[in-house]
Amino acid sequence: MNTHSLKLLLILLTFTFPSTQCDDDLVDQICKKTPFYDLCISTLKSNSNGKDVKGLASVMADTMLSNATDTLSYIRAEINRTPDPKIERALAYCAELYIPVVKYNLPQAIDALSKGQFEFAADGISDAAKEADSCEKMISWSQELAALSDRNKLIHNLSDVAVAIVKILLKG
């Protein structure tokens, strides 16, 4: 291998390997600007698709959609499982709140992110948290629904993180 080829190889290696460190640094910098640093770090480091701030916001929104979809499935299963009419009504109310989040709010927010419509994306993501909070108010009296309560809180916290990242995009 001649000197020129060796130099080129070293340059390529230098720019190839530190990219992971750069991505980790970006994730750390962004997560420090969110209200739930640990949640942000664990979410974004487990998904390597975010290469820039917009990508990180998309990862958070996708994670929210996945969690909201799982929560809706959980609610539907609990409706079928419970013999208690009061709990069934509360769960049905929560299902009605989560359906538009899963079918419309978050998919539209994700689409808006991809198109650079960050205000609209932030609104859709915030709406998901509001619906989770409304569900939480409906079920807070029941110890039997503690698992759903945990899911609602996770959706709310993921939303707070996602909105904080989208606000970074809005600032330019």
Side-chain angles (χ1 to χ4, degrees), residues 18-163:
S19 67
T20 302
Q21 182 62 41
C22 181
D23 290 344
D24 286 349
D25 289 344
L26 176 64
V27 168
D28 188 59
Q29 288 173 357
I30 294 301
C31 288
K32 284 179 181 175
K33 297 177 181 177
T34 69
F36 300 102
Y37 176 82
D38 291 338
L39 177 62
C40 179
I41 288 289
S42 65
T43 302
L44 295 179
K45 289 208 175 183
S46 68
N47 187 323
S48 60
N49 292 339
K51 302 295 181 200
D52 57 13
V53 179
K54 184 177 173 182
L56 297 177
S58 293
V59 168
M60 289 304 301
D62 289 340
T63 301
M64 280 188 68
L65 179 57
S66 176
N67 276 274
T69 301
D70 289 347
T71 299
L72 180 57
S73 295
Y74 174 82
I75 292 168
R76 287 175 170 159
E78 289 298 300
I79 288 171
N80 292 328
R81 185 192 65 77
T82 188
D84 185 330
K86 186 175 179 186
I87 290 177
E88 184 178 352
R89 280 190 302 275
L91 289 166
Y93 176 79
C94 287
E96 291 300 317
L97 294 170
Y98 271 94
I99 289 168
V101 166
V102 168
K103 291 190 179 228
Y104 306 108
N105 299 57
L106 290 175
Q108 288 174 357
I110 291 166
D111 186 53
L113 272 173
S114 72
K115 294 177 179 176
Q117 299 168 340
F118 303 130
E119 294 238 5
F120 186 81
D123 290 344
I125 292 167
S126 293
D127 285 346
K130 289 174 188 165
E131 300 299 357
D133 292 346
S134 294
C135 173
E136 186 59 30
K137 288 176 186 167
M138 179 59 82
I139 65 160
S140 61
W141 55 270
S142 173
Q143 280 300 110
E144 191 175 329
L145 297 174
L148 179 54
S149 183
D150 291 342
R151 289 170 178 267
N152 287 331
K153 289 173 187 164
L154 178 60
I155 296 291
H156 180 96
N157 293 351
L158 286 168
S159 172
D160 286 351
V161 171
V163 168

